[in-house]
Short mmCIF file of all heavy atoms in Angstrom, two decimals:
data_model
loop_
_atom_site.label_atom_id
_atom_site.label_comp_id
_atom_site.label_asym_id
_atom_site.label_seq_id
_atom_site.Cartn_x
_atom_site.Cartn_y
_atom_site.Cartn_z
N ARG A 822 74.40 85.55 99.64
CA ARG A 822 74.14 86.07 98.32
C ARG A 822 74.47 87.53 98.17
O ARG A 822 75.10 88.00 97.22
CB ARG A 822 72.75 85.78 97.90
CG ARG A 822 72.46 86.16 96.42
CD ARG A 822 70.98 85.84 96.07
NE ARG A 822 70.03 86.63 96.80
CZ ARG A 822 69.32 86.13 97.89
NH1 ARG A 822 69.42 84.85 98.20
NH2 ARG A 822 68.46 86.88 98.51
N GLU A 823 74.01 88.34 99.12
CA GLU A 823 74.22 89.82 99.11
C GLU A 823 75.73 90.14 99.25
O GLU A 823 76.26 91.00 98.62
CB GLU A 823 73.44 90.50 100.17
CG GLU A 823 71.96 90.64 99.86
CD GLU A 823 71.22 89.38 100.16
OE1 GLU A 823 71.81 88.41 100.64
OE2 GLU A 823 69.98 89.35 99.93
N MET A 824 76.38 89.42 100.15
CA MET A 824 77.80 89.59 100.34
C MET A 824 78.60 89.20 99.09
O MET A 824 79.49 89.95 98.66
CB MET A 824 78.30 88.75 101.53
CG MET A 824 79.76 89.02 101.91
SD MET A 824 80.07 90.72 102.60
CE MET A 824 79.28 90.53 104.21
N LEU A 825 78.23 88.10 98.48
CA LEU A 825 78.88 87.74 97.26
C LEU A 825 78.67 88.74 96.12
O LEU A 825 79.66 89.08 95.38
CB LEU A 825 78.41 86.36 96.81
CG LEU A 825 79.02 85.81 95.53
CD1 LEU A 825 80.56 85.65 95.65
CD2 LEU A 825 78.42 84.42 95.15
N GLY A 826 77.54 89.30 96.04
CA GLY A 826 77.23 90.26 94.99
C GLY A 826 78.05 91.49 95.24
O GLY A 826 78.58 92.16 94.24
N LEU A 827 78.22 91.93 96.51
CA LEU A 827 79.04 93.16 96.80
C LEU A 827 80.49 92.90 96.40
O LEU A 827 81.09 93.75 95.81
CB LEU A 827 78.95 93.45 98.30
CG LEU A 827 79.93 94.50 98.83
CD1 LEU A 827 79.56 95.86 98.24
CD2 LEU A 827 79.82 94.56 100.38
N LEU A 828 81.03 91.69 96.75
CA LEU A 828 82.43 91.46 96.45
C LEU A 828 82.64 91.30 94.95
O LEU A 828 83.67 91.84 94.46
CB LEU A 828 82.89 90.14 97.15
CG LEU A 828 82.81 90.13 98.68
CD1 LEU A 828 83.39 88.77 99.24
CD2 LEU A 828 83.55 91.27 99.24
N GLU A 829 81.75 90.68 94.22
CA GLU A 829 81.91 90.55 92.78
C GLU A 829 81.90 91.95 92.15
O GLU A 829 82.71 92.21 91.22
CB GLU A 829 80.81 89.72 92.23
CG GLU A 829 80.92 88.25 92.60
CD GLU A 829 79.82 87.39 92.05
OE1 GLU A 829 78.68 87.97 91.84
OE2 GLU A 829 79.96 86.19 91.90
N ALA A 830 81.02 92.81 92.61
CA ALA A 830 80.98 94.15 92.02
C ALA A 830 82.28 94.91 92.30
O ALA A 830 82.78 95.66 91.39
CB ALA A 830 79.81 94.93 92.60
N ARG A 831 82.81 94.79 93.44
CA ARG A 831 84.03 95.49 93.81
C ARG A 831 85.24 94.95 93.03
O ARG A 831 86.15 95.69 92.56
CB ARG A 831 84.33 95.41 95.35
CG ARG A 831 83.36 96.28 96.17
CD ARG A 831 83.71 96.23 97.63
NE ARG A 831 84.99 96.87 97.92
CZ ARG A 831 85.17 98.15 98.13
NH1 ARG A 831 84.11 98.97 98.14
NH2 ARG A 831 86.37 98.64 98.49
N PHE A 832 85.29 93.60 92.89
CA PHE A 832 86.39 93.02 92.11
C PHE A 832 86.36 93.41 90.66
O PHE A 832 87.38 93.76 90.05
CB PHE A 832 86.32 91.48 92.18
CG PHE A 832 87.14 90.87 93.24
CD1 PHE A 832 86.86 91.09 94.63
CD2 PHE A 832 88.31 90.21 92.96
CE1 PHE A 832 87.62 90.52 95.61
CE2 PHE A 832 89.10 89.65 93.96
CZ PHE A 832 88.78 89.81 95.31
N ALA A 833 85.11 93.59 90.09
CA ALA A 833 84.98 93.99 88.71
C ALA A 833 85.39 95.47 88.53
O ALA A 833 85.93 95.88 87.51
CB ALA A 833 83.52 93.77 88.27
N ARG A 834 85.08 96.25 89.53
CA ARG A 834 85.36 97.75 89.45
C ARG A 834 86.75 98.10 89.85
O ARG A 834 87.37 98.91 89.23
CB ARG A 834 84.30 98.48 90.28
CG ARG A 834 84.45 99.99 90.23
CD ARG A 834 83.26 100.68 90.81
NE ARG A 834 82.93 100.24 92.16
CZ ARG A 834 83.40 100.86 93.23
NH1 ARG A 834 84.20 101.94 93.09
NH2 ARG A 834 83.09 100.45 94.46
N LEU A 835 87.28 97.43 90.92
CA LEU A 835 88.55 97.85 91.48
C LEU A 835 89.68 96.87 91.26
O LEU A 835 90.87 97.21 91.37
CB LEU A 835 88.37 98.03 93.00
CG LEU A 835 87.40 99.05 93.46
CD1 LEU A 835 87.17 98.99 94.93
CD2 LEU A 835 87.82 100.46 93.07
N GLY A 836 89.30 95.66 90.82
CA GLY A 836 90.32 94.66 90.65
C GLY A 836 90.65 93.95 91.95
O GLY A 836 90.37 94.53 93.06
N PRO A 837 91.34 92.75 91.94
CA PRO A 837 91.59 92.03 93.14
C PRO A 837 92.55 92.72 94.09
O PRO A 837 92.52 92.52 95.31
CB PRO A 837 92.25 90.73 92.65
CG PRO A 837 92.73 91.08 91.26
CD PRO A 837 91.78 92.08 90.73
N GLY A 838 93.40 93.60 93.60
CA GLY A 838 94.37 94.25 94.52
C GLY A 838 93.75 95.28 95.45
O GLY A 838 94.22 95.50 96.54
N ARG A 839 92.65 95.92 95.03
CA ARG A 839 91.98 96.97 95.79
C ARG A 839 90.57 96.63 96.23
O ARG A 839 89.89 97.48 96.87
CB ARG A 839 92.02 98.27 94.99
CG ARG A 839 93.39 98.87 94.75
CD ARG A 839 93.33 100.27 94.29
NE ARG A 839 92.64 100.43 92.96
CZ ARG A 839 91.67 101.23 92.70
NH1 ARG A 839 91.19 102.04 93.58
NH2 ARG A 839 91.18 101.28 91.44
N ALA A 840 90.12 95.42 95.92
CA ALA A 840 88.70 95.12 96.25
C ALA A 840 88.32 95.23 97.68
O ALA A 840 87.23 95.65 98.03
CB ALA A 840 88.38 93.69 95.72
N TYR A 841 89.22 94.85 98.60
CA TYR A 841 88.91 94.88 100.01
C TYR A 841 89.39 96.19 100.71
O TYR A 841 88.96 96.51 101.81
CB TYR A 841 89.57 93.73 100.73
CG TYR A 841 88.99 92.34 100.29
CD1 TYR A 841 89.77 91.49 99.58
CD2 TYR A 841 87.71 92.04 100.60
CE1 TYR A 841 89.26 90.25 99.16
CE2 TYR A 841 87.15 90.82 100.23
CZ TYR A 841 87.90 89.94 99.54
OH TYR A 841 87.40 88.73 99.15
N THR A 842 90.22 96.96 100.00
CA THR A 842 90.68 98.23 100.56
C THR A 842 89.53 99.20 100.70
O THR A 842 88.90 99.44 99.68
CB THR A 842 91.81 98.81 99.73
OG1 THR A 842 92.86 97.83 99.65
CG2 THR A 842 92.37 100.09 100.34
N GLY A 843 89.34 99.82 101.85
CA GLY A 843 88.23 100.70 102.03
C GLY A 843 86.94 100.07 102.44
O GLY A 843 85.94 100.73 102.74
N LEU A 844 86.91 98.76 102.38
CA LEU A 844 85.70 97.99 102.78
C LEU A 844 85.91 97.30 104.17
O LEU A 844 85.03 97.37 105.00
CB LEU A 844 85.40 96.92 101.73
CG LEU A 844 84.22 96.01 102.05
CD1 LEU A 844 82.90 96.81 101.97
CD2 LEU A 844 84.11 94.82 101.10
N LEU A 845 87.10 96.71 104.34
CA LEU A 845 87.36 95.94 105.55
C LEU A 845 88.61 96.51 106.24
O LEU A 845 89.54 96.98 105.62
CB LEU A 845 87.63 94.49 105.21
CG LEU A 845 86.50 93.71 104.50
CD1 LEU A 845 87.01 92.27 104.17
CD2 LEU A 845 85.24 93.70 105.31
N PRO A 846 88.69 96.40 107.58
CA PRO A 846 89.90 96.65 108.28
C PRO A 846 91.03 95.74 107.77
O PRO A 846 90.71 94.64 107.33
CB PRO A 846 89.55 96.30 109.73
CG PRO A 846 88.08 96.41 109.86
CD PRO A 846 87.55 96.01 108.50
N ARG A 847 92.24 96.23 107.82
CA ARG A 847 93.35 95.50 107.24
C ARG A 847 93.46 94.06 107.71
O ARG A 847 93.63 93.10 106.98
CB ARG A 847 94.66 96.22 107.48
CG ARG A 847 95.86 95.55 106.87
CD ARG A 847 97.15 96.36 107.19
NE ARG A 847 96.99 97.77 106.66
CZ ARG A 847 97.88 98.67 107.05
NH1 ARG A 847 98.93 98.39 107.88
NH2 ARG A 847 97.77 99.93 106.58
N ALA A 848 93.31 93.88 109.09
CA ALA A 848 93.40 92.52 109.65
C ALA A 848 92.37 91.60 109.07
O ALA A 848 92.58 90.39 108.83
CB ALA A 848 93.37 92.58 111.16
N LEU A 849 91.15 92.12 108.87
CA LEU A 849 90.05 91.31 108.38
C LEU A 849 90.28 91.05 106.85
O LEU A 849 90.04 89.90 106.39
CB LEU A 849 88.74 92.05 108.60
CG LEU A 849 87.46 91.17 108.58
CD1 LEU A 849 87.56 89.96 109.55
CD2 LEU A 849 86.28 92.03 108.91
N ALA A 850 90.75 92.01 106.15
CA ALA A 850 90.99 91.77 104.73
C ALA A 850 92.05 90.74 104.49
O ALA A 850 91.94 89.94 103.58
CB ALA A 850 91.43 93.11 104.11
N ASN A 851 93.04 90.69 105.40
CA ASN A 851 94.03 89.69 105.24
C ASN A 851 93.53 88.32 105.48
O ASN A 851 94.13 87.35 104.92
CB ASN A 851 95.16 89.95 106.30
CG ASN A 851 95.99 91.24 105.91
OD1 ASN A 851 95.99 91.63 104.77
ND2 ASN A 851 96.68 91.76 106.94
N LYS A 852 92.46 88.15 106.17
CA LYS A 852 91.86 86.82 106.38
C LYS A 852 91.20 86.24 105.17
O LYS A 852 91.13 85.07 104.98
CB LYS A 852 90.86 86.89 107.54
CG LYS A 852 91.46 87.03 108.97
CD LYS A 852 92.30 85.79 109.20
CE LYS A 852 92.28 85.36 110.57
NZ LYS A 852 93.11 84.19 110.79
N VAL A 853 90.62 87.14 104.32
CA VAL A 853 89.85 86.68 103.18
C VAL A 853 90.49 86.94 101.86
O VAL A 853 90.00 86.37 100.83
CB VAL A 853 88.42 87.25 103.22
CG1 VAL A 853 87.68 86.89 104.52
CG2 VAL A 853 88.51 88.80 103.15
N ARG A 854 91.56 87.67 101.83
CA ARG A 854 92.14 88.11 100.55
C ARG A 854 92.50 86.92 99.64
O ARG A 854 92.30 86.98 98.41
CB ARG A 854 93.36 88.93 100.75
CG ARG A 854 93.80 89.76 99.59
CD ARG A 854 95.07 90.55 99.88
NE ARG A 854 94.91 91.40 101.04
CZ ARG A 854 94.29 92.64 100.93
NH1 ARG A 854 93.86 93.04 99.78
NH2 ARG A 854 94.26 93.40 102.07
N SER A 855 92.95 85.80 100.19
CA SER A 855 93.49 84.69 99.42
C SER A 855 92.34 83.70 99.04
O SER A 855 92.53 82.72 98.37
CB SER A 855 94.56 83.97 100.09
OG SER A 855 94.14 83.49 101.32
N LEU A 856 91.13 83.91 99.63
CA LEU A 856 90.04 82.96 99.39
C LEU A 856 89.29 83.27 98.11
O LEU A 856 89.16 84.41 97.68
CB LEU A 856 89.03 83.08 100.54
CG LEU A 856 89.52 82.72 101.98
CD1 LEU A 856 88.42 83.00 102.98
CD2 LEU A 856 90.03 81.34 102.06
N PRO A 857 88.78 82.23 97.42
CA PRO A 857 87.88 82.47 96.31
C PRO A 857 86.72 83.27 96.75
O PRO A 857 86.26 83.18 97.91
CB PRO A 857 87.47 81.05 95.85
CG PRO A 857 88.54 80.16 96.41
CD PRO A 857 89.02 80.81 97.69
N LEU A 858 86.10 84.03 95.86
CA LEU A 858 85.01 84.94 96.25
C LEU A 858 83.85 84.21 97.01
O LEU A 858 83.34 84.73 98.00
CB LEU A 858 84.46 85.68 95.07
CG LEU A 858 85.40 86.82 94.54
CD1 LEU A 858 84.72 87.62 93.43
CD2 LEU A 858 85.87 87.75 95.68
N PRO A 859 83.40 83.09 96.55
CA PRO A 859 82.27 82.43 97.25
C PRO A 859 82.68 82.11 98.74
O PRO A 859 81.91 82.23 99.63
CB PRO A 859 82.02 81.14 96.46
CG PRO A 859 82.50 81.48 95.07
CD PRO A 859 83.67 82.37 95.29
N GLU A 860 83.93 81.67 98.92
CA GLU A 860 84.43 81.34 100.27
C GLU A 860 84.53 82.66 101.10
O GLU A 860 84.28 82.63 102.33
CB GLU A 860 85.71 80.51 100.18
CG GLU A 860 85.56 79.19 99.64
CD GLU A 860 86.79 78.38 99.64
OE1 GLU A 860 87.74 78.73 100.51
OE2 GLU A 860 87.01 77.51 98.78
N ALA A 861 85.04 83.66 100.52
CA ALA A 861 85.18 84.91 101.21
C ALA A 861 83.80 85.52 101.60
O ALA A 861 83.65 86.01 102.76
CB ALA A 861 85.91 85.97 100.33
N ALA A 862 82.89 85.36 100.69
CA ALA A 862 81.45 85.82 101.07
C ALA A 862 80.92 84.99 102.23
O ALA A 862 80.24 85.51 103.12
CB ALA A 862 80.59 85.75 99.85
N GLU A 863 81.15 83.69 102.23
CA GLU A 863 80.67 82.80 103.30
C GLU A 863 81.38 83.17 104.59
O GLU A 863 80.73 83.25 105.65
CB GLU A 863 80.99 81.34 102.90
CG GLU A 863 80.56 80.33 103.93
CD GLU A 863 78.99 80.19 103.97
OE1 GLU A 863 78.38 80.44 102.93
OE2 GLU A 863 78.44 79.96 105.08
N TRP A 864 82.66 83.47 104.56
CA TRP A 864 83.44 83.79 105.70
C TRP A 864 82.85 85.13 106.37
O TRP A 864 82.70 85.23 107.58
CB TRP A 864 84.91 83.95 105.39
CG TRP A 864 85.87 83.80 106.50
CD1 TRP A 864 86.60 82.73 106.80
CD2 TRP A 864 86.22 84.80 107.50
NE1 TRP A 864 87.43 82.94 107.85
CE2 TRP A 864 87.24 84.24 108.32
CE3 TRP A 864 85.83 86.15 107.70
CZ2 TRP A 864 87.76 84.91 109.43
CZ3 TRP A 864 86.39 86.79 108.75
CH2 TRP A 864 87.36 86.21 109.58
N LEU A 865 82.61 86.11 105.50
CA LEU A 865 82.24 87.40 106.03
C LEU A 865 80.77 87.49 106.41
O LEU A 865 80.37 88.37 107.20
CB LEU A 865 82.46 88.50 104.96
CG LEU A 865 83.95 88.79 104.67
CD1 LEU A 865 84.13 89.66 103.38
CD2 LEU A 865 84.60 89.47 105.85
N SER A 866 79.91 86.55 105.92
CA SER A 866 78.50 86.60 106.26
C SER A 866 78.09 85.54 107.22
O SER A 866 77.01 85.59 107.75
CB SER A 866 77.64 86.52 104.97
OG SER A 866 77.89 85.28 104.36
N GLY A 867 78.99 84.58 107.49
CA GLY A 867 78.61 83.51 108.42
C GLY A 867 79.73 82.73 108.95
O GLY A 867 79.78 81.51 108.96
#
């Protein structure tokens, strides 16, 4: 839930193109970039 809230806030503020930039290392961002936000939150938290 906390991870999903963080991602939703970043997407709203930065847009999908920059949401993961500055948050995750590039290799890790590439793993979740194409996932829907709930799945990305699940991947990053568990």
Side-chain angles (χ1 to χ4, degrees):
R822 184 179 64 255
E823 285 81 0
M824 186 66 73
L825 180 58
L827 172 66
L828 297 184
E829 288 176 337
R831 289 182 66 88
F832 265 70
R834 180 166 57 90
L835 301 171
R839 292 194 294 129
Y841 293 111
T842 303
L844 178 69
L845 302 176
R847 184 181 301 169
L849 199 55
N851 290 339
K852 284 300 214 180
V853 298
R854 196 182 304 279
S855 62
L856 298 177
L858 286 187
E860 292 182 26
E863 182 70 31
W864 203 101
L865 291 170
S866 61

